[in-house]
Amino acid sequence: MGIFKKLSIGSYVLALGVVLALIAMIIGITSSAKYEGFWEPTMGGVIAFTIFGIVFAAAAIALGVKFGDTFWTSAVLVIAVLFFALATCYMVMSKMNVMGTVVFSDLEKGFEPAEYSCYVGLASSVIYIIATLVTAVGTFFRVVRKNEGEPAAKAA
């Protein structure tokens, strides 16, 4: 049986969450790197947590294909969601200063590099939130299809 025939809706939802997190990371890097002076040290954490989340989501799908839906597959999925949530927090932390000076005060109002960094960083944060929620929703579905010989789950 091919790998794609084994995958269930949960793995496709996880893949969507991974793609959204990757898009959010690229947008976040763009918001910090387009203009000189707006790179924050916490962006390294954003990049690292996003990559770890992607690796753990892929590992969960690989574990599901190899061993089926087990406790360890679910645990790895929870860790992937945790890494995406940490990337979201670090993204918000990296843009707090520029958001405060552009949105909540008039200190850098009209200064195009600061406004770009603020609003594009805010868009990245929103996409990170959506990616985290999509990945979390994906954990509620089976990663792989149920085999024909596998017994049905008992009702509580």
Side-chain angles (χ1 to χ4, degrees):
M1 183 190 263
I3 290 176
F4 289 108
K5 288 187 178 187
K6 286 185 177 182
L7 298 180
S8 179
I9 186 74
S11 57
Y12 294 115
V13 172
L14 289 172
L16 176 64
V18 164
V19 169
L20 286 172
L22 191 60
I23 290 170
M25 182 181 73
I26 292 169
I27 291 172
I29 291 170
T30 304
S31 76
S32 296
K34 183 174 180 182
Y35 293 103
E36 189 174 334
F38 288 97
W39 185 266
E40 294 289 330
T42 53
M43 282 302 294
V46 172
I47 295 167
F49 287 138
T50 304
I51 291 171
F52 286 145
I54 290 170
V55 167
F56 274 89
I61 293 172
L63 280 172
V65 168
K66 180 83 171 165
F67 301 110
D69 280 326
T70 62
F71 167 77
W72 296 109
T73 306
S74 299
V76 171
L77 284 176
V78 169
I79 292 171
V81 172
L82 176 69
F83 277 128
F84 287 151
L86 286 171
T88 304
C89 291
Y90 268 61
M91 188 66 206
V92 170
M93 284 179 3
S94 74
K95 295 300 172 185
M96 272 191 319
N97 189 24
V98 75
M99 281 185 203
T101 58
V102 171
V103 176
F104 299 111
S105 73
D106 289 334
L107 292 175
E108 293 189 19
K109 196 69 126 178
F111 183 54
E112 201 269 331
E115 286 184 345
Y116 179 85
S117 178
C118 172
Y119 296 130
V120 174
L122 182 64
S124 175
S125 299
V126 169
I127 296 172
Y128 263 121
I129 291 169
I130 294 169
T132 304
L133 291 175
V134 166
T135 308
V137 167
T139 62
F140 289 101
F141 296 106
R142 294 179 66 91
V143 175
V144 292
R145 294 179 193 258
K146 195 164 102 173
N147 295 332
E148 285 85 28
E150 195 173 319
K154 294 182 181 178

